[in-house]
Amino acid sequence: MTDSPDLENISLQIQQARAKFEGQLDSVGTDSVALESLRVLALGKTGYINELAKQLGKMNAEDRSKFGSLINALKQDATWRIAERKQSIEGIRIKQRLANERIDVTAPVRASALETGRIHPLSQVWDEVVAIFADMGFAVEQGPDIETDHYNFGALNFPEGHPAREMHDTFYFEPDASGARKLLRTHTSPVQVRTMEAGEPPFRFICPGRTYRCDSDQTHTPQFHQIEGLVVDETTHLGHLKWTLEEFLRAFFEVEGVELRMRPSFFPFTEPSMEVDVRCARLGNEIRIGEGDDWLEILGCGMVHPNVLRSSGIDPEKYQGFAFGMGIDRLAMLKYGIPDLRAFFESDLRWLKHYGFAALDVPTLAGGLSS
Ligand code: PHE
């Protein structure tokens, strides 16, 4: 029996393993990571306690049961000791948290971002205008900010070299290989042409968007916003235009009645062309719409010029319509009493807090535009 195991030696190994485990457990202290490493080292599949059990296979039944139960006892003790230590580490951790973390239930609740964040007055007015026209059955169309001379001027009946082009203070890009220069659209009117080209009459849409002119003072910024409107059908006439604008302004300024005054004007793309003033009262810095004896210019409009219909592929013998364009920035200044346009673009948080709107108050006609 040369390969029978040395029983004395195994018994010693079991004792040593137990002593080793106790020593290691002592040095673990309250370190939970070290405790887990010890668990793997001693009780893992190839851990030193399991390694001892491998010798059982070579023993006779009697010895196997004797040493087997010794090794098992060691295994159970070690398992239990580890569980116990784990629990006491957790207990210490909870005690520490209880001592360090305190919740003051009397402290005021901190407002969420949704409550403190503000909608910019321009976005607010944009949404208000869209809500009003959507209610009147207008679709919302969009076009590119970077335009060609054709869409911004040519198709809108601005003749080459006409002084009306210069009035727009256009930002031009460098000429391309063919010598053509793209530009930043100076108004939202190009969207009239683009939308008519892409569809079939009748048309009834608005286009809110960014526009650009090389201009900067208290009431002008190089980038500003316009809202274009276009209605084209077989019998659309000036009366429809006047009614539409009156309804819009009444809803927008949230007053019972507004009085409009139409003055003859000139735009290459409308004939006749008009500028529209609203009746207002000026009380110091404040402007009240719908009362008083003063007039305030608010938008440009007119009947769509036959040349514009023609260049958009619409037969001017059969169709006619009206167009209008107004500055969203100006509408916002008037409605919300904001004196300087440049502040719109300065991203001053204090200004936004003062003039901004609550994020969840989405403007609707039914629920109220600005409240
Ligand atoms: N596009 C014109 C402007 O920017 C406004 C306008 C639009 C006038 C539509 C008439 C009709 O000045």
Side-chain angles (χ1 to χ4, degrees), residues 168 186-189 192 213 226 228-229 267 269-270 274 300-302 323-326:
H168 277 216
T186 57
H187 50 177
T188 42
S189 301
Q192 290 185 25
R213 289 185 202 180
Q226 281 192 341
E228 191 81 10
F267 302 104
F269 38 93
T270 45
M274 283 142 289
C301 61
F324 57 86
M326 52 197 159

Side-chain angles (χ1 to χ4, degrees), residues 200-202 232-235 304 309 314-321:
E200 292 295 327
V232 168
D233 206 336
E234 291 182 33
T235 57
V304 181
L309 293 172
I314 310 284
D315 178 5
E317 298 299 323
K318 187 164 178 212
Y319 291 102
Q320 58 182 29

